[in-house]
Amino acid sequence: MNPQFKKGVLDLCVLAALRDRDAYGYELAEQISHSIEIAEGTLYPLLRKLKGDGLCETYLSDASGGPPRKYYRLTEKGKAAEAELRREWLEFVRQVNKILMEG
């Protein structure tokens, strides 16, 4: 897949992955990589950016029995951003598909 396609939509993919449940970084990478190839080295800076923008927050949990894991969850601002980005993305895809079908 063209890397420029992925670059513009990774924020939305991460926010969408966190919409229904909290997750830790590796888990997010695994989930997203089932559909889009993504490196963990790409994901963690993006998670830091989303946290810095107030779209997600972190907490530690040791429920796994191993060392504590840093989980990410959406803030209210993040939920609103995900909904808006989703709307914009679907409209963008609709417009691109229109162009592709006409050409």
Side-chain angles (χ1 to χ4, degrees), residues 34-46:
H34 287 294
S35 301
I36 299 173
E37 186 178 328
I38 182 174
E40 283 182 67
T42 302
L43 183 65
Y44 288 105
L46 176 58

Side-chain angles (χ1 to χ4, degrees), residues 11-72:
D11 287 20
L12 174 56
C13 290
V14 170
L15 293 172
L18 290 171
R19 184 183 64 237
D20 297 324
R21 67 182 186 88
D22 303 351
Y24 56 94
Y26 181 78
E27 183 180 24
L28 284 168
E30 286 289 305
Q31 181 182 350
I32 293 170
S33 69
H34 287 294
S35 301
I36 299 173
E37 186 178 328
I38 182 174
E40 283 182 67
T42 302
L43 183 65
Y44 288 105
L46 176 58
L47 287 167
R48 279 192 299 277
K49 177 184 148 320
L50 294 174
K51 184 179 177 192
D53 291 345
L55 302 180
C56 70
E57 58 191 12
T58 60
Y59 63 92
L60 292 177
S61 175
D62 58 359
S64 65
R69 290 182 173 156
K70 183 190 287 187
Y71 279 78
Y72 295 85

Side-chain angles (χ1 to χ4, degrees), residues 68-99:
R69 290 182 173 156
K70 183 190 287 187
Y71 279 78
Y72 295 85
R73 72 174 152 228
L74 292 184
T75 61
E76 288 304 314
K77 182 178 177 182
K79 291 174 186 175
E82 188 274 337
E84 178 62 17
L85 285 172
R86 177 186 297 268
R87 186 194 63 71
E88 290 175 5
W89 174 258
L90 292 174
E91 177 60 20
F92 176 74
V93 168
R94 188 181 73 74
Q95 294 295 335
V96 169
N97 284 338
K98 182 179 173 185
I99 293 167

